[in-house]
Every structure is written in C-alpha cells, then in structure tokens.
Coordinates of all heavy atoms in Angstrom, one line a residue:
K1 N -64.3 -55.4 101.8 CA -63.8 -55.0 100.5 C -62.3 -54.6 100.5 O -61.6 -55.1 99.6 CB -64.6 -53.9 99.9 CG -65.6 -54.4 98.9 CD -66.3 -53.2 98.2 CE -67.1 -53.7 97.0 NZ -67.8 -52.6 96.4
P2 N -61.9 -53.8 101.4 CA -60.4 -53.4 101.3 C -59.5 -54.6 101.5 O -58.5 -54.7 100.9 CB -60.3 -52.4 102.4 CG -61.6 -51.9 102.7 CD -62.6 -53.0 102.4
F3 N -59.9 -55.6 102.3 CA -59.1 -56.8 102.5 C -59.0 -57.5 101.2 O -57.9 -58.0 100.8 CB -59.7 -57.7 103.6 CG -59.0 -59.0 103.7 CD1 -57.7 -59.0 104.3 CD2 -59.5 -60.1 103.3 CE1 -57.0 -60.2 104.4 CE2 -58.9 -61.3 103.4 CZ -57.6 -61.4 104.0
L4 N -60.1 -57.7 100.5 CA -60.0 -58.5 99.3 C -59.2 -57.7 98.2 O -58.5 -58.3 97.4 CB -61.4 -58.7 98.7 CG -62.2 -59.8 99.5 CD1 -63.6 -59.9 98.9 CD2 -61.6 -61.1 99.5
Q5 N -59.3 -56.4 98.1 CA -58.6 -55.7 97.1 C -57.1 -55.8 97.4 O -56.3 -56.1 96.5 CB -59.0 -54.2 97.2 CG -60.4 -54.0 96.6 CD -60.8 -52.5 96.8 OE1 -60.1 -51.7 97.5 NE2 -61.9 -52.2 96.2
T6 N -56.7 -55.7 98.7 CA -55.2 -55.8 99.0 C -54.8 -57.3 98.8 O -53.7 -57.5 98.2 CB -55.0 -55.5 100.5 OG1 -55.5 -54.2 100.7 CG2 -53.6 -55.5 100.8
T7 N -55.6 -58.2 99.1 CA -55.2 -59.6 99.0 C -55.0 -60.0 97.5 O -54.0 -60.6 97.1 CB -56.3 -60.6 99.6 OG1 -56.4 -60.2 100.9 CG2 -55.9 -62.0 99.4
F8 N -55.9 -59.6 96.7 CA -55.8 -59.9 95.2 C -54.6 -59.1 94.6 O -54.0 -59.6 93.7 CB -57.1 -59.7 94.5 CG -58.0 -60.8 94.8 CD1 -59.2 -60.6 95.6 CD2 -57.8 -62.1 94.3 CE1 -60.0 -61.6 95.9 CE2 -58.7 -63.1 94.6 CZ -59.8 -62.9 95.4
L9 N -54.4 -57.9 95.1 CA -53.3 -57.1 94.5 C -52.0 -57.8 94.9 O -51.1 -57.9 94.0 CB -53.3 -55.7 95.1 CG -52.3 -54.7 94.6 CD1 -52.6 -54.4 93.1 CD2 -52.3 -53.4 95.4
V10 N -51.8 -58.2 96.1 CA -50.6 -58.9 96.5 C -50.4 -60.2 95.7 O -49.4 -60.6 95.3 CB -50.6 -59.2 98.0 CG1 -49.5 -60.2 98.4 CG2 -50.4 -57.9 98.8
M11 N -51.6 -61.0 95.6 CA -51.5 -62.2 94.9 C -51.1 -62.0 93.4 O -50.3 -62.8 92.9 CB -52.9 -62.9 94.9 CG -52.9 -64.3 94.4 SD -54.5 -65.1 94.6 CE -55.1 -64.9 93.0
F12 N -51.6 -61.0 92.8 CA -51.3 -60.7 91.4 C -49.9 -60.4 91.2 O -49.2 -60.9 90.3 CB -52.2 -59.6 90.8 CG -51.9 -59.2 89.4 CD1 -52.3 -60.0 88.4 CD2 -51.2 -58.0 89.2 CE1 -52.0 -59.6 87.1 CE2 -50.9 -57.7 87.9 CZ -51.3 -58.4 86.8
Y13 N -49.4 -59.5 92.0 CA -48.0 -59.1 91.8 C -47.0 -60.1 92.3 O -45.9 -60.3 91.7 CB -47.7 -57.7 92.6 CG -48.2 -56.6 91.8 CD1 -49.3 -55.8 92.3 CD2 -47.7 -56.3 90.5 CE1 -49.8 -54.7 91.6 CE2 -48.2 -55.2 89.8 CZ -49.2 -54.4 90.3 OH -49.7 -53.4 89.6
S14 N -47.3 -60.9 93.3 CA -46.4 -62.1 93.6 C -46.4 -63.1 92.5 O -45.4 -63.7 92.2 CB -46.8 -62.7 94.9 OG -48.1 -63.3 94.9
A15 N -47.6 -63.3 91.9 CA -47.6 -64.3 90.7 C -46.7 -63.8 89.6 O -46.0 -64.5 89.0 CB -49.0 -64.5 90.3
A16 N -46.8 -62.5 89.3 CA -46.0 -61.9 88.2 C -44.5 -62.0 88.6 O -43.7 -62.3 87.7 CB -46.4 -60.4 88.0
L17 N -44.2 -61.8 89.8 CA -42.8 -61.9 90.3 C -42.3 -63.3 90.2 O -41.2 -63.6 89.7 CB -42.6 -61.4 91.7 CG -41.2 -61.4 92.3 CD1 -40.3 -60.4 91.6 CD2 -41.3 -61.1 93.8
F18 N -43.1 -64.3 90.6 CA -42.7 -65.7 90.5 C -42.5 -66.1 89.0 O -41.6 -66.8 88.7 CB -43.7 -66.6 91.2 CG -43.6 -66.6 92.6 CD1 -44.7 -66.6 93.4 CD2 -42.4 -66.7 93.3 CE1 -44.6 -66.7 94.8 CE2 -42.3 -66.8 94.6 CZ -43.4 -66.7 95.4
L19 N -43.4 -65.6 88.2 CA -43.3 -65.9 86.7 C -42.0 -65.3 86.2 O -41.3 -66.0 85.4 CB -44.5 -65.3 86.0 CG -45.7 -66.1 86.0 CD1 -46.9 -65.4 85.4 CD2 -45.5 -67.4 85.3
A20 N -41.7 -64.1 86.5 CA -40.4 -63.5 86.0 C -39.2 -64.3 86.5 O -38.3 -64.6 85.7 CB -40.3 -62.0 86.5
I21 N -39.2 -64.6 87.8 CA -38.0 -65.3 88.4 C -37.9 -66.7 87.8 O -36.9 -67.2 87.4 CB -38.1 -65.4 89.9 CG1 -37.9 -64.0 90.5 CG2 -37.1 -66.4 90.5 CD1 -38.2 -63.9 92.0
G22 N -39.1 -67.4 87.6 CA -39.1 -68.8 87.1 C -38.7 -68.8 85.6 O -37.9 -69.7 85.2
T23 N -39.2 -67.8 84.8 CA -38.8 -67.7 83.4 C -37.3 -67.5 83.3 O -36.6 -68.1 82.5 CB -39.5 -66.6 82.7 OG1 -40.9 -66.8 82.9 CG2 -39.2 -66.6 81.3
F24 N -36.7 -66.6 84.2 CA -35.3 -66.4 84.2 C -34.5 -67.6 84.5 O -33.5 -67.9 83.9 CB -34.9 -65.2 85.1 CG -33.5 -65.0 85.3 CD1 -32.7 -64.4 84.3 CD2 -32.8 -65.5 86.4 CE1 -31.4 -64.2 84.4 CE2 -31.5 -65.3 86.6 CZ -30.7 -64.7 85.6
M25 N -35.0 -68.3 85.5 CA -34.2 -69.6 85.9 C -34.3 -70.6 84.9 O -33.3 -71.3 84.6 CB -34.8 -70.1 87.3 CG -34.5 -69.2 88.4 SD -35.2 -69.8 90.0 CE -34.2 -71.2 90.3
I26 N -35.4 -70.8 84.2 CA -35.6 -71.8 83.2 C -34.7 -71.4 82.0 O -34.0 -72.2 81.4 CB -37.0 -72.0 82.7 CG1 -37.8 -72.6 83.8 CG2 -37.1 -72.8 81.5 CD1 -39.3 -72.7 83.6
S27 N -34.7 -70.1 81.6 CA -33.9 -69.7 80.5 C -32.4 -69.8 80.8 O -31.5 -70.0 79.9 CB -34.2 -68.3 80.0 OG -34.0 -67.4 81.0
A28 N -32.0 -69.5 82.0 CA -30.6 -69.5 82.4 C -30.0 -70.9 82.6 O -28.9 -71.2 82.2 CB -30.4 -68.8 83.7
N29 N -30.8 -71.9 83.1 CA -30.4 -73.2 83.3 C -30.7 -74.2 82.2 O -30.2 -75.3 82.2 CB -31.0 -73.8 84.6 CG -30.6 -73.1 85.8 OD1 -29.5 -72.5 85.9 ND2 -31.4 -73.0 86.8
G30 N -31.5 -73.8 81.2 CA -31.8 -74.7 80.2 C -32.9 -75.7 80.6 O -33.5 -75.5 81.7
T31 N -33.2 -76.6 79.8 CA -34.3 -77.6 80.1 C -33.8 -78.7 80.9 O -33.0 -79.5 80.5 CB -34.9 -78.1 78.8 OG1 -35.3 -77.1 78.0 CG2 -36.1 -79.0 79.1
T32 N -34.2 -78.7 82.2 CA -33.8 -79.8 83.1 C -35.1 -80.3 83.8 O -36.2 -79.7 83.6 CB -32.8 -79.2 84.2 OG1 -33.5 -78.2 84.9 CG2 -31.5 -78.7 83.6
T33 N -34.9 -81.3 84.6 CA -36.1 -81.8 85.4 C -36.6 -80.7 86.3 O -37.8 -80.5 86.4 CB -35.7 -83.0 86.2 OG1 -35.1 -84.0 85.3 CG2 -36.9 -83.6 86.9
Y34 N -35.7 -79.9 86.9 CA -36.1 -78.8 87.8 C -36.9 -77.8 87.0 O -37.9 -77.3 87.4 CB -34.9 -78.2 88.4 CG -35.2 -77.0 89.2 CD1 -35.8 -77.1 90.5 CD2 -34.9 -75.7 88.8 CE1 -36.1 -76.0 91.2 CE2 -35.2 -74.6 89.5 CZ -35.8 -74.7 90.8 OH -36.1 -73.6 91.5
G35 N -36.5 -77.5 85.8 CA -37.2 -76.5 84.9 C -38.6 -77.0 84.5 O -39.5 -76.2 84.5
V36 N -38.7 -78.3 84.3 CA -40.1 -78.8 84.0 C -41.0 -78.7 85.2 O -42.1 -78.3 85.1 CB -39.9 -80.3 83.5 CG1 -41.3 -80.9 83.3 CG2 -39.2 -80.3 82.2
I37 N -40.4 -79.0 86.4 CA -41.2 -78.9 87.6 C -41.6 -77.5 87.9 O -42.7 -77.2 88.2 CB -40.5 -79.6 88.8 CG1 -40.4 -81.1 88.6 CG2 -41.2 -79.3 90.1 CD1 -39.5 -81.8 89.5
L38 N -40.6 -76.6 87.7 CA -40.9 -75.2 87.9 C -41.9 -74.6 86.9 O -42.8 -73.8 87.3 CB -39.6 -74.4 87.8 CG -39.6 -72.9 88.1 CD1 -40.1 -72.7 89.5 CD2 -38.3 -72.3 87.8
S39 N -41.8 -75.0 85.7 CA -42.8 -74.6 84.7 C -44.2 -75.1 85.0 O -45.2 -74.4 84.9 CB -42.4 -74.9 83.3 OG -42.4 -76.3 83.1
G40 N -44.3 -76.3 85.6 CA -45.6 -76.8 86.0 C -46.2 -76.0 87.2 O -47.4 -75.7 87.3
F41 N -45.3 -75.7 88.1 CA -45.7 -74.8 89.3 C -46.2 -73.5 88.8 O -47.2 -72.9 89.3 CB -44.5 -74.7 90.2 CG -44.8 -73.7 91.3 CD1 -45.7 -73.9 92.3 CD2 -44.1 -72.4 91.2 CE1 -45.9 -72.9 93.3 CE2 -44.3 -71.5 92.2 CZ -45.2 -71.7 93.2
L42 N -45.4 -72.9 87.8 CA -45.8 -71.6 87.3 C -47.1 -71.6 86.6 O -47.9 -70.7 86.7 CB -44.7 -71.0 86.4 CG -43.4 -70.7 87.1 CD1 -42.3 -70.3 86.1 CD2 -43.5 -69.6 88.2
F43 N -47.4 -72.7 85.9 CA -48.7 -72.8 85.2 C -49.8 -72.9 86.2 O -50.9 -72.3 86.1 CB -48.6 -74.0 84.3 CG -50.0 -74.3 83.6 CD1 -50.3 -73.5 82.5 CD2 -50.8 -75.3 84.0 CE1 -51.6 -73.7 81.9 CE2 -52.0 -75.5 83.4 CZ -52.4 -74.7 82.3
A44 N -49.6 -73.7 87.3 CA -50.6 -73.9 88.3 C -50.8 -72.5 89.0 O -52.0 -72.2 89.4 CB -50.1 -74.9 89.3
L45 N -49.8 -71.7 89.2 CA -49.9 -70.4 89.9 C -50.7 -69.5 89.0 O -51.6 -68.8 89.5 CB -48.5 -69.8 90.1 CG -48.4 -68.6 90.9 CD1 -48.9 -68.8 92.3 CD2 -47.0 -68.0 90.8
L46 N -50.5 -69.5 87.7 CA -51.3 -68.7 86.8 C -52.7 -69.1 86.8 O -53.7 -68.3 86.8 CB -50.7 -68.8 85.4 CG -49.6 -67.9 85.0 CD1 -49.1 -68.2 83.6 CD2 -50.1 -66.4 85.1
L47 N -53.0 -70.4 86.8 CA -54.3 -70.9 86.8 C -55.1 -70.5 88.0 O -56.2 -70.1 88.0 CB -54.3 -72.4 86.6 CG -55.6 -73.1 86.2 CD1 -56.0 -72.6 84.8 CD2 -55.3 -74.6 86.1
E48 N -54.4 -70.6 89.2 CA -55.0 -70.2 90.4 C -55.4 -68.7 90.5 O -56.4 -68.3 90.9 CB -54.1 -70.6 91.6 CG -54.7 -70.2 93.0 CD -53.7 -70.5 94.1 OE1 -52.6 -71.0 93.8 OE2 -54.0 -70.1 95.2
C49 N -54.5 -67.9 90.0 CA -54.7 -66.5 89.9 C -55.9 -66.2 89.0 O -56.8 -65.4 89.3 CB -53.4 -65.8 89.4 SG -53.5 -64.0 89.5
Y50 N -56.0 -66.9 87.9 CA -57.1 -66.7 86.9 C -58.4 -67.1 87.6 O -59.4 -66.4 87.5 CB -56.8 -67.5 85.7 CG -58.0 -67.5 84.7 CD1 -58.3 -66.4 84.0 CD2 -58.8 -68.6 84.7 CE1 -59.4 -66.4 83.1 CE2 -59.9 -68.7 83.8 CZ -60.2 -67.5 83.0 OH -61.3 -67.6 82.2
W51 N -58.4 -68.2 88.3 CA -59.7 -68.7 88.9 C -60.1 -67.7 90.0 O -61.3 -67.5 90.1 CB -59.5 -70.1 89.5 CG -59.5 -71.2 88.5 CD1 -60.1 -71.1 87.2 CD2 -59.0 -72.5 88.6 NE1 -60.0 -72.3 86.6 CE2 -59.3 -73.2 87.4 CE3 -58.3 -73.1 89.6 CZ2 -58.9 -74.5 87.2 CZ3 -57.9 -74.5 89.4 CH2 -58.2 -75.1 88.2
C52 N -59.2 -67.3 90.8 CA -59.6 -66.3 91.9 C -60.1 -65.0 91.3 O -61.1 -64.5 91.8 CB -58.4 -66.0 92.8 SG -57.9 -67.4 93.8
C53 N -59.5 -64.5 90.2 CA -60.0 -63.3 89.6 C -61.4 -63.5 89.0 O -62.3 -62.7 89.1 CB -59.1 -62.8 88.5 SG -57.5 -62.2 89.2
Q54 N -61.6 -64.7 88.4 CA -63.0 -65.0 87.8 C -64.0 -65.1 88.9 O -65.1 -64.7 88.8 CB -62.9 -66.3 87.1 CG -62.2 -66.2 85.7 CD -63.0 -65.3 84.8 OE1 -64.3 -65.3 84.7 NE2 -62.3 -64.5 84.0
L55 N -63.6 -65.7 90.1 CA -64.5 -65.8 91.2 C -65.0 -64.5 91.7 O -66.1 -64.2 92.0 CB -63.9 -66.6 92.3 CG -64.7 -66.8 93.6 CD1 -66.0 -67.6 93.3 CD2 -63.9 -67.5 94.7
V56 N -64.0 -63.6 91.8 CA -64.3 -62.2 92.3 C -65.2 -61.5 91.3 O -66.2 -60.8 91.7 CB -63.0 -61.4 92.6 CG1 -63.3 -59.9 92.8 CG2 -62.3 -62.0 93.8
D57 N -64.9 -61.6 90.0 CA -65.8 -61.0 89.0 C -67.2 -61.5 89.1 O -68.2 -60.8 89.0 CB -65.2 -61.3 87.6 CG -64.0 -60.4 87.3 OD1 -63.8 -59.4 88.0 OD2 -63.3 -60.7 86.3
R58 N -67.4 -62.8 89.2 CA -68.7 -63.4 89.3 C -69.4 -63.0 90.6 O -70.6 -62.7 90.6 CB -68.6 -65.0 89.3 CG -68.3 -65.5 88.0 CD -68.3 -67.0 88.0 NE -67.8 -67.5 86.7 CZ -67.5 -68.7 86.5 NH1 -67.5 -69.6 87.4 NH2 -67.0 -69.1 85.3
L59 N -68.7 -62.9 91.7 CA -69.3 -62.4 92.9 C -69.8 -60.9 92.8 O -70.9 -60.5 93.3 CB -68.4 -62.5 94.1 CG -68.2 -63.9 94.7 CD1 -67.1 -63.9 95.7 CD2 -69.4 -64.5 95.2
N60 N -69.0 -60.1 92.1 CA -69.4 -58.7 91.9 C -70.6 -58.6 91.0 O -71.5 -57.8 91.2 CB -68.2 -57.9 91.3 CG -67.2 -57.6 92.3 OD1 -67.4 -57.5 93.5 ND2 -65.9 -57.4 91.8
E61 N -70.7 -59.5 90.0 CA -71.9 -59.5 89.1 C -73.1 -59.9 89.9 O -74.2 -59.3 89.7 CB -71.7 -60.5 87.9 CG -70.7 -60.0 86.9 CD -70.3 -61.0 85.8 OE1 -71.0 -62.1 85.8 OE2 -69.4 -60.7 85.1
V62 N -73.0 -61.0 90.7 CA -74.2 -61.4 91.5 C -74.6 -60.3 92.5 O -75.8 -60.1 92.7 CB -73.8 -62.7 92.2 CG1 -74.9 -63.1 93.3 CG2 -73.7 -63.8 91.2
N63 N -73.6 -59.6 93.1 CA -73.9 -58.5 94.0 C -74.7 -57.4 93.3 O -75.6 -56.9 93.8 CB -72.6 -58.0 94.6 CG -72.8 -57.0 95.6 OD1 -73.9 -56.9 96.3 ND2 -71.8 -56.1 95.8
T64 N -74.3 -57.1 92.1 CA -75.0 -56.1 91.3 C -76.4 -56.5 91.0 O -77.3 -55.7 91.1 CB -74.2 -55.8 90.0 OG1 -72.9 -55.4 90.4 CG2 -74.8 -54.7 89.2
Q65 N -76.5 -57.8 90.6 CA -77.9 -58.3 90.3 C -78.8 -58.3 91.5 O -80.0 -57.9 91.4 CB -77.8 -59.7 89.7 CG -77.1 -59.8 88.3 CD -76.9 -61.2 87.9 OE1 -77.1 -62.1 88.6 NE2 -76.5 -61.3 86.6
I66 N -78.3 -58.7 92.6 CA -79.1 -58.6 93.9 C -79.5 -57.2 94.2 O -80.7 -57.0 94.5 CB -78.3 -59.3 95.0 CG1 -78.2 -60.8 94.8 CG2 -79.0 -59.0 96.4 CD1 -77.3 -61.4 95.8
G67 N -78.6 -56.3 94.0 CA -78.9 -54.9 94.3 C -80.0 -54.3 93.4 O -80.9 -53.7 93.8
I68 N -79.9 -54.7 92.1 CA -80.9 -54.3 91.1 C -82.3 -54.8 91.4 O -83.3 -54.1 91.4 CB -80.5 -54.6 89.7 CG1 -79.3 -53.8 89.2 CG2 -81.6 -54.5 88.7 CD1 -78.6 -54.2 88.0
L69 N -82.3 -56.1 91.8 CA -83.6 -56.8 92.1 C -84.2 -56.2 93.4 O -85.4 -56.0 93.5 CB -83.4 -58.3 92.3 CG -83.1 -59.1 91.0 CD1 -82.8 -60.5 91.4 CD2 -84.3 -59.0 90.1
L70 N -83.4 -55.9 94.4 CA -83.9 -55.3 95.6 C -84.4 -53.9 95.4 O -85.5 -53.5 95.9 CB -82.8 -55.3 96.7 CG -82.6 -56.6 97.4 CD1 -81.4 -56.4 98.4 CD2 -83.8 -57.1 98.1
Y71 N -83.7 -53.1 94.6 CA -84.1 -51.7 94.4 C -85.3 -51.6 93.4 O -86.1 -50.7 93.4 CB -83.0 -50.9 93.8 CG -82.0 -50.5 94.9 CD1 -80.7 -50.9 94.9 CD2 -82.4 -49.8 96.0 CE1 -79.8 -50.6 95.9 CE2 -81.5 -49.5 97.0 CZ -80.2 -49.9 97.0 OH -79.3 -49.6 97.9
S72 N -85.5 -52.7 92.6 CA -86.7 -52.7 91.7 C -87.9 -53.3 92.3 O -89.0 -53.4 91.7 CB -86.4 -53.4 90.4 OG -86.1 -54.7 90.6
L73 N -87.8 -53.8 93.5 CA -88.9 -54.4 94.2 C -90.0 -53.4 94.6 O -89.6 -52.3 95.0 CB -88.4 -55.1 95.5 CG -89.5 -55.8 96.4 CD1 -89.9 -57.1 95.6 CD2 -88.8 -56.3 97.7
D74 N -91.2 -53.7 94.4 CA -92.3 -52.8 94.6 C -92.6 -52.8 96.1 O -93.4 -53.5 96.6 CB -93.5 -53.2 93.8 CG -94.6 -52.1 93.8 OD1 -94.2 -50.9 94.2 OD2 -95.7 -52.4 93.3
W75 N -91.9 -52.0 96.9 CA -91.9 -52.0 98.4 C -93.3 -51.8 99.0 O -93.7 -52.5 99.8 CB -90.9 -50.9 98.9 CG -89.5 -51.1 98.6 CD1 -88.9 -50.6 97.4 CD2 -88.5 -51.9 99.3 NE1 -87.6 -51.0 97.4 CE2 -87.4 -51.8 98.5 CE3 -88.6 -52.6 100.5 CZ2 -86.2 -52.4 99.0 CZ3 -87.4 -53.2 100.9 CH2 -86.2 -53.1 100.1
P76 N -94.0 -50.7 98.6 CA -95.3 -50.5 99.2 C -96.3 -51.7 99.0 O -97.1 -52.0 99.9 CB -95.8 -49.3 98.6 CG -94.7 -48.6 98.0 CD -93.7 -49.6 97.6
V77 N -96.2 -52.3 97.9 CA -97.2 -53.4 97.6 C -96.7 -54.7 98.4 O -97.5 -55.4 99.0 CB -97.3 -53.7 96.1 CG1 -98.1 -55.0 95.8 CG2 -97.8 -52.5 95.4
E78 N -95.4 -55.0 98.4 CA -94.9 -56.2 99.0 C -95.0 -56.1 100.5 O -95.2 -57.2 101.2 CB -93.5 -56.4 98.6 CG -93.3 -56.8 97.2 CD -93.9 -58.1 96.8 OE1 -93.8 -59.0 97.6 OE2 -94.4 -58.3 95.7
L79 N -94.9 -55.0 101.1 CA -94.8 -54.9 102.6 C -96.1 -54.4 103.2 O -96.1 -53.8 104.3 CB -93.6 -54.0 103.0 CG -92.3 -54.7 102.7 CD1 -91.2 -53.8 103.1 CD2 -92.2 -56.0 103.4
Q80 N -97.3 -54.5 102.6 CA -98.5 -54.2 103.2 C -99.0 -55.4 103.9 O -99.1 -56.5 103.4 CB -99.6 -53.8 102.2 CG -99.3 -52.4 101.6 CD -100.3 -52.0 100.6 OE1 -101.2 -52.8 100.2 NE2 -100.3 -50.8 100.1
Y81 N -99.3 -55.3 105.2 CA -99.8 -56.4 106.0 C -101.3 -56.4 106.1 O -101.9 -55.5 106.6 CB -99.2 -56.3 107.4 CG -99.6 -57.5 108.2 CD1 -98.9 -58.7 108.1 CD2 -100.6 -57.5 109.1 CE1 -99.2 -59.8 108.9 CE2 -101.0 -58.6 109.9 CZ -100.3 -59.7 109.8 OH -100.6 -60.8 110.5
T82 N -101.9 -57.5 105.6 CA -103.3 -57.8 105.8 C -103.4 -59.3 106.1 O -102.4 -60.0 106.0 CB -104.1 -57.5 104.5 OG1 -103.6 -58.4 103.4 CG2 -104.0 -56.1 104.0
K83 N -104.5 -59.7 106.6 CA -104.6 -61.1 107.0 C -104.5 -62.0 105.7 O -104.0 -63.1 105.8 CB -106.0 -61.3 107.7 CG -106.0 -60.8 109.1 CD -107.3 -61.2 109.8 CE -107.3 -60.6 111.2 NZ -108.4 -61.0 111.9
A84 N -105.0 -61.5 104.6 CA -104.9 -62.3 103.4 C -103.5 -62.5 102.9 O -103.1 -63.5 102.3 CB -105.8 -61.7 102.3
T85 N -102.6 -61.5 103.1 CA -101.3 -61.5 102.6 C -100.2 -61.6 103.7 O -99.1 -61.2 103.5 CB -101.0 -60.2 101.8 OG1 -101.1 -59.1 102.6 CG2 -101.9 -60.1 100.6
A86 N -100.6 -62.2 104.8 CA -99.7 -62.3 106.0 C -98.5 -63.2 105.6 O -97.3 -62.8 106.0 CB -100.4 -62.8 107.2
S87 N -98.7 -64.3 104.9 CA -97.6 -65.2 104.6 C -96.6 -64.5 103.6 O -95.4 -64.6 103.8 CB -98.2 -66.4 104.0 OG -97.1 -67.2 103.5
R88 N -97.2 -63.8 102.6 CA -96.3 -63.1 101.7 C -95.6 -62.0 102.3 O -94.4 -61.7 102.0 CB -97.2 -62.6 100.5 CG -96.4 -61.9 99.5 CD -96.9 -62.3 98.1 NE -96.3 -61.6 97.0 CZ -95.2 -62.0 96.4 NH1 -94.6 -63.1 96.8 NH2 -94.7 -61.2 95.5
Y89 N -96.2 -61.3 103.3 CA -95.6 -60.2 104.0 C -94.4 -60.7 104.8 O -93.3 -60.2 104.8 CB -96.6 -59.5 105.0 CG -96.0 -58.5 105.9 CD1 -95.7 -57.2 105.5 CD2 -95.7 -58.9 107.2 CE1 -95.2 -56.3 106.3 CE2 -95.1 -57.9 108.1 CZ -94.9 -56.6 107.6 OH -94.3 -55.7 108.5
R90 N -94.6 -61.9 105.5 CA -93.5 -62.4 106.3 C -92.4 -62.9 105.4 O -91.2 -62.8 105.7 CB -94.0 -63.6 107.2 CG -94.7 -63.1 108.4 CD -95.0 -64.2 109.4 NE -95.9 -65.3 108.9 CZ -97.2 -65.2 108.9 NH1 -97.8 -64.1 109.4 NH2 -97.9 -66.2 108.5
Q91 N -92.7 -63.5 104.3 CA -91.7 -64.0 103.3 C -90.9 -62.8 102.8 O -89.7 -62.9 102.7 CB -92.4 -64.7 102.2 CG -91.4 -65.3 101.1 CD -92.1 -65.9 100.0 OE1 -93.3 -65.8 99.8 NE2 -91.4 -66.6 99.1
A92 N -91.5 -61.7 102.4 CA -90.8 -60.6 101.8 C -90.0 -59.9 102.9 O -88.8 -59.6 102.6 CB -91.8 -59.6 101.2
R93 N -90.5 -59.9 104.1 CA -89.7 -59.2 105.2 C -88.5 -60.1 105.6 O -87.4 -59.5 105.7 CB -90.6 -59.0 106.4 CG -90.0 -58.2 107.4 CD -90.9 -57.8 108.5 NE -90.1 -57.2 109.5 CZ -90.5 -56.3 110.3 NH1 -91.7 -55.8 110.1 NH2 -89.8 -55.8 111.2
S94 N -88.7 -61.4 105.6 CA -87.5 -62.2 106.0 C -86.5 -62.2 104.8 O -85.3 -62.2 105.1 CB -88.0 -63.7 106.3 OG -88.5 -64.3 105.1
S95 N -86.9 -62.2 103.6 CA -86.0 -62.1 102.5 C -85.2 -60.8 102.5 O -84.0 -60.7 102.3 CB -86.7 -62.2 101.1 OG -87.3 -63.4 101.0
L96 N -85.9 -59.7 102.9 CA -85.2 -58.4 103.0 C -84.2 -58.3 104.2 O -83.1 -57.8 104.1 CB -86.2 -57.3 103.1 CG -87.0 -57.0 101.8 CD1 -88.0 -55.9 102.0 CD2 -86.0 -56.5 100.7
L97 N -84.6 -59.0 105.3 CA -83.7 -59.1 106.4 C -82.4 -59.8 106.1 O -81.3 -59.5 106.5 CB -84.4 -59.7 107.6 CG -85.4 -58.8 108.3 CD1 -86.2 -59.5 109.4 CD2 -84.7 -57.6 108.9
I98 N -82.6 -60.9 105.3 CA -81.4 -61.7 104.9 C -80.5 -60.8 104.0 O -79.2 -60.9 104.2 CB -81.8 -63.0 104.2 CG1 -82.5 -63.9 105.1 CG2 -80.6 -63.6 103.5 CD1 -83.1 -65.1 104.5
M99 N -81.1 -60.1 103.1 CA -80.2 -59.2 102.2 C -79.6 -58.1 103.0 O -78.5 -57.7 102.8 CB -81.1 -58.6 101.1 CG -81.7 -59.6 100.2 SD -80.4 -60.5 99.4 CE -81.3 -62.0 99.0

C-alpha cells in the first residue's frame, strides 16, 4: 500500500506540473505544430492519470467487497468436516487459503 500511495502521489503531481508547463509553453509560443503535439501529449497524460486512478478505485472497491463476503461467511457451518460434506469443506478451506 505505501508504494502505491507514493507512486500515485508522484504521478498526480508530475502530471499537474507537466500540464502547467505545457499550458505556459502553448500560451507563450502561440499555436504551432509543436503546440499541437504538446497538447496531444498533455491530453494523453491526463487520460493515463484518470485511468490509473479509476483502476485503484475499482481495486479498493473489490477489496472491500471481498472483505465483507469473507467476514459474513458462516464459519462454523462451512468448516465442519464430515464425510458427507468433505468436498464442500475442502472447497471452503482452499478458498479461504487463497484469500
């Protein structure tokens, strides 16, 4: 978690810095071929930042949903081993080990 927080923080502020520098360069130089290419790069940078933030939000939501499902599992019923429920016991136990 700390690595991802630092990475996205650096990515966000570097994107903001690039946007500020790019906007200044486009406004100072006027509309040129370089300005059009730079604005396309800045748009791609914003889009990438947005997609990464959306991905992290979705991963956090899925993580929360998995936690809720695991904590709401009826543990004593699912993990009782009998010959009749041996397959279900192994399935529940392997699922919990994966989590």
Side-chain angles (χ1 to χ4, degrees):
K1 259 186 168 177
F3 173 73
L4 288 178
Q5 290 173 353
T6 305
T7 303
F8 285 109
L9 185 67
V10 168
M11 189 176 99
F12 175 75
Y13 282 115
S14 65
L17 181 68
F18 282 139
L19 280 173
I21 292 171
T23 304
F24 173 74
M25 290 179 71
I26 290 171
S27 64
N29 294 334
T31 305
T32 61
T33 305
Y34 176 73
V36 172
I37 292 170
L38 184 62
S39 64
F41 169 74
L42 294 174
F43 178 75
L45 187 67
L46 275 175
L47 198 58
E48 180 183 356
C49 188
Y50 172 75
W51 282 338
C52 287
C53 291
Q54 284 296 320
L55 177 65
V56 169
D57 285 344
R58 288 181 185 168
L59 286 174
N60 285 336
E61 288 173 8
V62 169
N63 185 24
T64 303
Q65 290 173 354
I66 289 172
I68 289 170
L69 288 174
L70 282 176
Y71 285 117
S72 66
L73 184 66
D74 195 10
W75 298 88
V77 173
E78 292 293 325
L79 292 179
Q80 288 181 351
Y81 183 80
T82 61
K83 287 187 179 184
T85 62
S87 173
R88 182 134 173 95
Y89 173 82
R90 283 192 295 278
Q91 180 185 11
R93 187 170 174 147
S94 66
S95 295
L96 289 175
L97 286 174
I98 290 172
M99 297 298 155

